[in-house]
Amino acid sequence: MHILRAACLAALFLTIGAPLRADDVTLTSRDGAVEISGTLIGFDGEFYRVETEFGVLTVDGSGVNCDGPACPVLGSYVADIVLTGAYQIRREDTDASSIRYHLFDGTGETEAGRFTIHLGSSADGFAALAGSTADMALSLREPVAEERDAVRDAGWGDLDSTHQLRVLARDALVPVVAPGNPVKRLTLPQLAEIYAGKITRWSELGGEDAAITPHLTDPTRGIGALFQAQVGSAEASDLTVHETLSDLTAALAADPFGIAISTYSQADGRNILHLAGSCGFDLLPGPVSVKAGDYPLAAPMFLYLPGRHLPRLARDFLTYLRSDAAGQVVRTAGLVDQGLSGLPVAAQGDRLVNAIRAAGDEVGLDELQRMVAVFSDARRLSLTFRFRGGAATLDAPSRANVALLAAALESGAFDGQQLVFAGFSDGRGAAATNLRLSTRRAKAVATAVLREAETFDPARVAISTDGFGE
């Protein structure tokens, strides 16, 4: 539990391997027919990882003998997992830059593994992944093009692949004000203009005639950097920058005319401002809206993996992260877990009302009636698949959702039920074009999920696709 809590607000990278000397070794098959020589760069108790003239090779230790000064002593091997991440990690019994946790077997006497956490950043994680000094990268953001290219050029696969991406937990960025502030809602453009220094007084937003004091954590990293990426640059001349969210919260409590960007997991829900979305209704963060991606300022925690074999301890750790027990830890930390849930159509009233209100000459009542007929006896799953603007390319959280839904299908979670992939588009362009785009999107997601669910028999679930345009 402490490991996950420490990771929940951090951008981390994780390295796994025994503490070996980088030295020459020779691996020889049991019958002596095959011999591999090179520099040993890792051993996980099962597999050797050796840098050879042919590249990095992973070799099953059960089939070879190891000869050389760097060969591990098999009986004393202890897996060592190192995580490096951003601030806000709770420190225990080590120096200011690291924490170490020890794992023991059932007797409590034999050490089975170690987790060491070092402070760092998302950029550090991706660099370590590309440099083969990390086996996992945990980040609060997607990799930029240069980071994806570096990982691919190093031979560690495509970070856009569903096999190399997980979402461990979800959080959200939230605008908060001091208690008693009469302003209760903002639009995203208004929020951006406050932090850009273009809206400077609360009276411009229906509040008191007082200057607005914007607060933010470090704009170059963590929450502050994520806010700038999603909303806009924080250039207000009176911006107050804080080292941690705790410092920010304390400062806001003493500033009756302040506004701050915190997280759903850390903020007092009574002081969170509603965000007026582009679809015409107010949005508040909560387990349902954050999990489904409806709330606009999402802050998912990404786990990126290299395209190669991982040690058993790492594989066991990944399996655990999808368990109900891990979900409970995530919820206890105040974050939103990845567990699937369903929402009755009746609870989607605001969306249906807005759809009717927005319907024009190109989208008639008959199309709205068709949509309602499809959804009337259905539940909306908490999984949502979102696309980059005007395209059929999924964003990173949605690519992770492909694997999540595929795993649920393989487990039998939907056996005997009907699963409808319903596609939508934005309202730009001609309605007929948007309808075709939405249909293509629905089919693209269904195809991706079924391709991922390798052991799933489609006869177990009635799967269909439909598109409803804008």
Side-chain angles (χ1 to χ4, degrees), residues 177-410:
V177 294
N181 192 317
V183 175
K184 301 301 180 186
R185 67 191 296 272
L186 292 174
T187 65
L188 277 175
Q190 287 173 332
L191 184 61
E193 289 182 352
I194 289 173
Y195 279 85
K198 297 178 180 179
I199 294 179
T200 60
R201 302 193 71 80
W202 284 111
S203 54
E204 299 176 66
L205 303 169
E208 297 185 37
D209 187 17
I212 300 173
T213 308
H215 298 260
L216 192 66
T217 53
D218 186 351
T220 66
R221 60 184 297 171
I223 299 303
L226 190 61
F227 173 77
Q228 291 204 118
Q230 294 194 22
V231 179
S233 296
E235 301 173 345
S237 59
D238 55 350
L239 177 69
T240 303
V241 176
H242 304 275
E243 180 64 23
T244 68
L245 284 178
S246 297
D247 295 339
L248 177 146
T249 300
L252 185 65
D255 183 0
F257 300 112
I259 184 171
I261 302 301
S262 185
T263 62
Y264 168 68
S265 61
Q266 298 290 306
D268 183 342
R270 296 170 296 180
N271 301 324
I272 296 175
L273 295 180
H274 293 233
L275 285 179
S278 59
C279 289
F281 51 91
D282 288 1
L283 295 166
L284 270 175
V288 174
S289 64
V290 171
K291 187 179 294 188
D294 293 341
Y295 185 77
L297 300 181
M301 182 188 300
F302 299 109
L303 181 68
Y304 286 92
L305 310 172
R308 58 174 169 78
H309 175 86
L310 289 175
R312 170 172 288 181
L313 183 61
R315 301 196 304 271
D316 290 344
F317 184 61
L318 291 174
T319 300
Y320 165 76
L321 290 175
R322 277 188 171 159
S323 68
D324 291 340
Q328 180 59 50
V329 173
V330 170
R331 294 190 296 273
T332 300
L335 294 154
V336 178
D337 69 292
Q338 290 291 92
L340 296 181
S341 59
L343 192 67
V345 171
Q348 298 286 290
D350 283 345
R351 289 181 173 273
L352 293 174
V353 168
N354 185 67
I356 295 171
R357 183 189 298 123
D361 295 336
E362 292 185 284
V363 182
L365 182 61
D366 57 338
E367 186 67 2
L368 293 171
Q369 289 175 330
R370 185 176 75 85
M371 181 180 70
V372 172
V374 171
F375 294 161
S376 59
D377 296 323
R379 292 175 299 123
R380 178 193 174 193
L381 282 182
S382 54
L383 291 178
T384 301
F385 300 89
R386 299 184 184 277
F387 295 80
R388 291 163 180 165
T393 304
L394 291 169
D395 62 16
S398 299
R399 294 197 302 275
N401 283 347
V402 167
L404 199 61
L405 184 54
L409 285 170
E410 290 178 319

